């Protein structure tokens, strides 16, 4: 068997010592939610995390540093950047945040087509560095792929997830306004951040000029007005410092480290094991179910097996695919639960290629108070009830307006008294819009295990074979034309449109490979995120996504995880798992 080639030194101190009710693979956004829910229901839960521990507050070394305390003013050295060409491309990466991202050389993979796989391997995963945008999916996103003929239907709909969205929103704290938009349903919101005068102006001109386009307040995981449940977590009000990605000592935004994991810890049911690289899930052919997980210690490279009644796979979309593909047995020679051959296929992402920006004249006598860690949103207005463009899918538009710094027009000097005077005045207003576009799940966009190459823990490297298609190009064209038109109607001149041509993956919203579905021949997971063919294994991170929608995905992973964990507990009580 493929795994027999692994050189293992098994720790055979008995299964009892290594036995738990539940194992969660990965401690990021979704793993933290699995741990919280399972521990609250009394399950002794082991969270296996490949990276180091990161303790809330204590392990945020740059959180309160001023710009001049960084050697290169937040930038990494040229040598660091040259050694890490992949990870240094990531949004928000810098000397102040680099410790929450991997180093390229430690974690190779094979790009059959260009794909930037951005990772953060530590307790808390990417919850420490995420952008925190938290819109709900609308009913359209669940149904559009099948209705408009570009994909498969989900086995669940909006109404199945809505209560779990509420459950998650109340706990993590999401700010926003109840806008009553069908393309972006309302949630349980804390008060939103204000729009500034230019954002309000563009909101008005969009409403005046378009029947069904809405610019609304951001929906973001920030505590604008903490409630009791947040104070109980030890979190406080967002200070709008805009230094979120360094880790927030106030717990002002949601991260696993400030919220779900400490909550789970308080139950007394949680064990977190950092430096535990999950190699594979162990399947018992007699019992017809998974019985545990094989772990390679990140430092000693020693293998240990852990056992449990249920397993949650939350290693983030592509790593969850990798673990499942590497979990081979006589029953499942092509990866756990992979009778259909679908595992690793239909990998998708979000299209972040296009943006517009422009100076905004006429507001020179106005300014704004304080910082704002969020961005207003224009809800998707494309292909909702029917296909109304020459492409399928929709896009969310993020936007913003700000006063810049002194420009060449204001002062051609770059030194001296004139420059100093110019610097003390605010610069011109600028505004921008950028897209987050739906992508079509395609079988040929896939990941697989490399036949020979392995990482330092003896695990096969992942091969990524994911690319753009013609639908993307058409959507980009439309986004650029529509966004430029909206800015023009708002009074902007000199509007720049650009396509950054970035590789898939840099959006950091990779999804799919182990999708949910009703049909056992075309999907891997049932409506409760259980593997069709191995029901005590639940996959509830981005790997489970049947389609991408156009909303930021992480709050859906959290809702699906909470929903699946509660189902797992019910099934355990009934003796079904
Ligand atoms: C800069 C940035 C901005 C973003 N902005 C947004 C946003 O605004 N809105 C949004 O919805 N999403 C956003 N995202 C994406 C979001 O971070 C991810 O969707 C989310 O973190 C995924 O959760 P997860 O639990 O699947 O994975 P992660 O949070 O990545 O956690 C996975 C964990 O599993 C561990 N792991 C991996 N492999 C193994 C293994 N073999 N064994 C043991 N442990 C393993 C990892 O170390 C990691 O800790 C952003 C991401 C970044 C980096």
């Amino acid at each position: 068997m493929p795994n027999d080639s692994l050189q293992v030194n098994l720790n055979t101190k008995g299964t009892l010592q290594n036995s738990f009710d539940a194992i969660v693979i990965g401690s990021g956004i979704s793993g933290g939610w699995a741990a919280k829910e399972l521990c609250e229901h009394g399950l002794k839960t082991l969270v296996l995390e490949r990276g180091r521990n990161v303790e809330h507050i204590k392990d945020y070394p740059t959180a309160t540093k001023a710009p001049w305390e960084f050697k290169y003013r937040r930038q990494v050295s040229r040598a660091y950047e040259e050694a890490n060409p992949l990870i240094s491309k990531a949004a928000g990466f810098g000397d102040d945040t680099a410790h929450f991202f991997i180093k390229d050389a430690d974690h190779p993979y094979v790009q059959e087509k260009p794909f930037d796989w951005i990772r953060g391997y530590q307790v808390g995963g990417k919850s420490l560095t995420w952008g925190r945008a938290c819109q709900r999916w609308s009913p359209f996103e669940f149904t559009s792929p099948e209705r408009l003929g570009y994909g498969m239907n989900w086995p669940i709909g909006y109404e199945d997830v809505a209560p779990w969205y509420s459950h998650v929103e109340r706990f993590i704290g999401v700010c926003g306004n109840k806008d009553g938009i069908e393309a972006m349903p309302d949630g349980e919101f804390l008060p939103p951040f204000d729009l500034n005068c230019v954002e309000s102006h563009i909101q008005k001109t969009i409403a005046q000029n378009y029947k069904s386009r809405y610019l609304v307040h951001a929906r973001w995981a920030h505590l604008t007005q903490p409630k009791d449940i947040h104070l109980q977590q030890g979190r406080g009000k967002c200070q709008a410092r805009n230094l979120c990605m360094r880790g927030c000592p106030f717990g002002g935004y949601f991260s696993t480290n400030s919220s779900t994991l400490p909550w789970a810890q308080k139950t007394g049911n949680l064990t977190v094991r950092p430096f535990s690289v999950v190699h594979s899930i162990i399947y018992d052919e007699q019992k017809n179910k998974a019985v545990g997980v094989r772990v390679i210690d990140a430092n000693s490279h020693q293998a240990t097996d852990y056992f449990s009644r249920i397993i949650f796979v939350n290693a983030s979309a592509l790593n969850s695919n990798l673990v499942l593909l590497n979990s081979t047995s006589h029953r499942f020679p092509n990866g756990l639960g992979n009778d259909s051959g679908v595992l690793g296929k239909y990998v998708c992402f979000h299209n972040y290629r296009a943006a517009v920006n422009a100076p905004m004249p006429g507001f020179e006598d106005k300014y704004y108070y304080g910082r704002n860690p969020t961005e207003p949103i224009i809800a998707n207005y494309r292909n909702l009830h029917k296909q109304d463009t020459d492409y399928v899918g929709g896009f969310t538009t993020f936007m913003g307006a700000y006063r810049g710094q002194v420009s060449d027009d204001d002062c051609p000097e770059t030194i001296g008294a004139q420059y100093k005077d110019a610097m003390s005045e605010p610069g011109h207003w600028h505004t921008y819009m950028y897209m987050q576009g739906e992508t079509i799940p395609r079988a040929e966009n896939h990941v697989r295990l490399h036949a020979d190459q392995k990482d330092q823990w003896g695990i096969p490297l992942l091969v990524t074979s994911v690319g753009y298609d013609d639908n993307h190009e058409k959507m980009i064209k439309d986004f650029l034309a529509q966004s430029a038109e909206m800015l023009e109607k708002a009074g902007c001149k000199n509007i720049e449109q650009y396509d950054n041509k970035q590789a898939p993956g840099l959006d950091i919203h990779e999804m799919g490979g182990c999708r949910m579905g009703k049909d056992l021949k075309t999907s891997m997971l049932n409506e409760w995120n259980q593997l069709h063919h191995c029901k005590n294994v639940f996959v509830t991170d981005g790997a489970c996504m049947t389609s991408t929608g156009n909303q930021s995905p992480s709050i859906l992973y959290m809702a699906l995880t909470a929903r699946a964990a509660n189902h797992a507990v019910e099934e355990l009580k009934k003796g079904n798992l």
Side-chain angles (χ1 to χ4, degrees):
M1 296 310 301
N3 283 348
D4 294 348
S5 59
L6 178 75
Q7 295 293 310
V8 291
N9 299 307
L10 279 181
N11 171 359
T12 51
K13 287 194 192 117
T15 52
L16 201 60
Q17 175 188 318
N18 289 350
S19 288
F20 297 81
D21 295 321
I23 289 177
V24 178
I25 304 174
S27 68
I29 287 191
S30 61
W33 263 94
K36 170 190 172 294
E37 296 292 312
L38 297 170
C39 286
E40 276 186 312
H41 283 288
L43 269 63
K44 294 284 175 200
T45 303
L46 172 67
V47 173
L48 294 166
E49 166 55 50
R50 68 180 303 151
R52 71 192 164 98
N53 193 26
V54 171
E55 203 180 304
H56 180 49
I57 306 178
K58 177 175 146 298
D59 292 324
Y60 304 155
T62 58
T64 55
K65 279 195 173 177
W68 53 88
E69 292 179 81
F70 295 95
K71 193 167 176 194
Y72 304 110
R73 298 288 184 273
R74 248 206 88 234
Q75 304 207 352
V76 292
S77 68
R78 186 170 296 168
Y80 195 101
E81 198 173 312
E82 280 170 7
N84 295 278
L86 163 77
I87 208 67
S88 53
K89 283 187 222 173
F93 176 89
D95 197 17
D96 53 341
T97 58
H99 49 285
F100 291 147
F101 291 91
I102 57 146
K103 292 202 172 80
D104 290 7
D106 294 341
H107 301 288
Y109 63 105
V110 180
Q111 301 176 52
E112 204 162 66
K113 295 178 190 163
F115 186 89
D116 292 329
W117 188 16
I118 304 301
R119 288 150 292 164
Y121 289 165
Q122 60 261 325
V123 167
K126 300 195 291 286
S127 78
L128 288 159
T129 53
W130 73 312
R132 311 160 311 278
C134 267
Q135 317 81 255
R136 291 184 178 203
W137 272 38
S138 67
F140 297 110
E141 286 157 289
F142 287 99
T143 57
S144 288
E146 192 184 44
R147 207 163 32 86
L148 304 181
Y150 64 96
M152 194 176 79
N153 229 359
W154 283 70
I156 52 173
Y158 176 71
E159 62 289 353
D160 296 303
V161 199
W164 295 100
Y165 269 130
S166 296
H167 179 70
V168 170
E169 284 160 349
R170 281 191 215 110
F171 190 80
I172 69 173
V174 177
C175 63
N177 192 45
K178 290 198 187 256
D179 299 297
I181 304 170
E182 61 176 354
M184 211 169 71
D186 294 332
E188 315 284 330
F189 297 143
L190 304 173
F193 277 89
D194 286 340
L195 303 182
N196 65 37
C197 59
V198 170
E199 291 161 356
S200 293
H201 166 73
I202 299 174
Q203 183 185 46
K204 276 191 209 105
T205 58
I206 289 178
Q208 282 158 5
N209 288 287
Y210 301 92
K211 237 172 81 190
S212 51
R213 296 192 191 179
Y214 307 98
L215 190 161
V216 298
H217 291 81
R219 295 165 181 192
W220 241 252
H222 283 259
L223 298 183
T224 47
Q225 206 178 86
K227 296 205 164 168
D228 200 38
I229 185 71
H230 309 121
L231 300 176
Q232 283 175 40
Q233 294 168 39
R235 298 170 58 200
K237 184 174 171 160
C238 169
Q239 306 291 305
R241 300 184 324 138
N242 289 14
L243 301 175
C244 315
M245 288 181 66
R246 300 178 184 181
C248 180
F250 302 93
Y253 74 94
F254 167 79
S255 70
T256 305
N257 312 58
S258 66
S259 176
T260 41
L261 272 193
W263 194 264
Q265 196 86 53
K266 276 200 271 189
T267 64
N269 292 324
L270 179 71
T271 306
V272 181
R273 194 185 190 282
F275 297 120
S276 301
V277 184
V278 170
H279 170 277
S280 53
I281 295 168
I282 304 161
Y283 183 77
D284 186 315
E285 317 245 335
Q286 262 78 48
K287 293 182 178 157
N288 287 327
K289 60 177 177 177
V291 290
V293 166
R294 175 158 297 172
V295 163
I296 313 292
D297 186 281
N299 300 313
S300 70
H301 291 207
Q302 189 175 28
T304 309
D305 290 349
Y306 293 91
F307 303 95
S308 65
R309 297 162 73 193
I310 56 170
I311 296 163
F312 269 69
V313 188
N314 296 99
S316 82
L318 300 193
N319 270 314
S320 289
N321 274 278
L322 198 163
V323 168
L324 291 165
L325 284 164
N326 202 36
S327 302
T328 52
S329 56
H330 288 285
R331 167 68 183 86
F332 294 114
N334 301 315
L336 189 63
N338 191 19
D339 288 356
S340 60
V342 167
L343 184 60
K345 294 183 181 159
Y346 302 98
V347 167
C348 31
F349 55 96
H350 271 150
N351 178 354
Y352 260 87
R353 267 176 41 189
V356 296
N357 61 53
M360 169 59 90
F363 292 83
E364 286 72 19
D365 59 340
K366 299 204 168 50
Y367 203 69
Y368 41 82
Y369 175 74
R371 302 189 181 100
N372 180 349
T374 72
E375 284 170 327
I377 298 169
I378 302 170
N380 176 39
Y381 49 89
R382 286 306 198 206
N383 302 325
L384 292 168
H385 293 278
K386 59 178 180 42
Q387 187 174 343
D388 45 30
T389 61
D390 62 349
Y391 59 87
V392 292
F395 53 80
T396 292
T397 304
F398 293 107
M399 65 84 61
Y402 60 96
R403 285 200 86 153
Q405 292 177 340
V406 57
S407 71
D408 290 351
D409 297 343
D410 304 314
C411 177
E413 308 295 329
T414 53
I415 194 163
Q418 199 192 343
Y419 185 59
K420 273 192 184 165
D421 285 346
M423 272 190 355
S424 67
E425 297 293 324
H428 297 294
W429 280 94
H430 289 267
T431 183
Y432 63 87
M433 294 180 179
Y434 63 93
M435 76 186 295
Q436 178 174 279
E438 185 167 356
T439 69
I440 305 176
R442 294 180 189 281
E444 65 266 27
N445 280 340
H446 74 277
V447 295
R448 61 178 192 274
L449 301 185
H450 197 279
D452 323 304
Q453 290 184 41
K454 295 192 172 172
D455 67 14
Q456 52 181 305
W457 299 280
I459 298 171
L461 297 192
L462 197 70
V463 180
T464 58
S465 187
V466 180
Y468 288 109
D469 57 45
D470 191 44
N471 200 66
H472 290 113
E473 307 303 328
K474 289 178 179 156
M475 186 186 282
I476 287 168
K477 213 169 140 201
D478 184 40
F479 165 84
L480 287 172
Q482 297 306 315
S483 303
E485 186 187 276
M486 284 188 274
L487 289 188
E488 206 179 330
K489 288 191 193 294
C492 293
K493 305 239 164 5
N494 303 323
I495 301 161
E496 275 180 11
Q497 307 181 21
Y498 64 92
D499 173 356
N500 62 29
K501 306 261 184 206
Q502 71 182 36
L506 202 55
D507 44 286
I508 329 184
H509 287 181
E510 62 277 10
M511 297 173 230
C514 186
R515 64 183 185 171
M516 295 170 80
K518 283 191 183 133
D519 185 347
L520 274 59
K521 292 201 189 73
T522 57
S523 65
M524 291 289 297
L525 304 172
N526 70 9
E527 74 271 33
W528 298 106
N529 295 75
Q530 295 168 280
L531 282 175
H532 288 305
H533 300 293
C534 186
K535 291 254 170 14
N536 67 335
V537 174
F538 295 77
V539 184
T540 65
D541 60 15
C544 78
M545 299 289 276
T546 311
S547 61
T548 74
N550 58 80
Q551 304 296 358
S552 312
S554 305
I555 190 163
L556 181 54
Y557 309 162
M558 295 190 240
L560 290 174
T561 303
R563 182 175 175 270
N566 281 267
H567 179 72
V569 170
E570 289 306 313
E571 289 296 281
L572 280 172
K573 279 189 202 152
K574 289 183 203 152
N576 290 344
L577 293 175

